[in-house]
Amino acid sequence: QIILGSLLLVAAVWVLFMLVGIVINGGMFTGKAWLAVLNSFVFTLVSAGIAILTSTLTSEPRYVALVANIVPLSMSFLCGIFVEQSLLGENILAFSRFLPAYWYIKATDMLAFTSEATFDYSEFMSCLGIEALFAVALFALILLANKYKHSKG
């Protein structure tokens, strides 16, 4: 129930942001903007997975707050949110490929034609697929943690 409630809340917030985007855009999205919408939805699932997994693993509010600060800030620094990926060192990029935000930023950069990224549909879909695999893995970990938690006590 908690997982479903969390997903419904996340979906509602995502829809609200999309409606605001439509208003700011002056109408419905067109062309590659739909790919950006899809990318944002998949990353929203990843973010929800991280949040639910964090709350599943600990019930202590201060630890949840600690993880809620460390994980997003770490991914932001390592994956190219604060600094373009093209400016990051090769070792940092090699490590950040193991984080979902790297693939989100890479896909977003392709759509926005920022830095050296050019749009390639198959590469974009690969980035999206890797993000989706992160979401699936996170939700599998959530189910596993819930099963372990309930079998223990």
Side-chain angles (χ1 to χ4, degrees), residues 42 45-46 100 103 125-141:
V42 173
L45 292 177
V46 170
W103 301 101
M125 294 309 284
S126 293
C127 292
L128 209 59
I130 293 170
E131 286 178 59
L133 288 174
F134 271 106
V136 168
L138 286 166
F139 282 100
L141 285 173

Side-chain angles (χ1 to χ4, degrees), residues 19-41:
L19 291 174
V20 169
I22 289 169
V23 169
I24 290 173
N25 191 41
M28 285 301 287
F29 301 113
T30 58
K32 291 182 186 158
W34 282 109
L35 294 175
V37 168
L38 180 62
N39 191 29
S40 72
F41 180 74

Side-chain angles (χ1 to χ4, degrees), residues 63-132:
Y63 295 135
V64 172
L66 180 72
V67 172
N69 284 313
I70 291 173
V71 170
L73 282 174
S74 298
M75 281 200 295
S76 296
F77 281 109
L78 294 171
C79 297
I81 293 174
F82 293 143
V83 177
E84 283 189 37
Q85 287 181 341
S86 62
L87 299 175
L88 295 173
E90 193 56 41
N91 292 335
I92 292 174
L93 286 175
F95 175 76
S96 65
R97 286 183 178 97
F98 293 100
L99 300 171
Y102 170 84
W103 301 101
Y104 172 76
I105 295 302
K106 186 173 179 178
T108 302
D109 284 351
M110 274 191 270
L111 291 173
F113 300 111
T114 60
S115 68
E116 299 164 5
T118 56
F119 184 74
D120 178 14
Y121 185 77
S122 63
E123 188 176 354
F124 176 83
M125 294 309 284
S126 293
C127 292
L128 209 59
I130 293 170
E131 286 178 59

Side-chain angles (χ1 to χ4, degrees), residues 1-14:
Q1 292 173 343
I2 290 174
I3 294 170
L4 183 60
S6 298
L7 287 174
L8 286 174
L9 178 65
V10 166
V13 170
W14 181 81

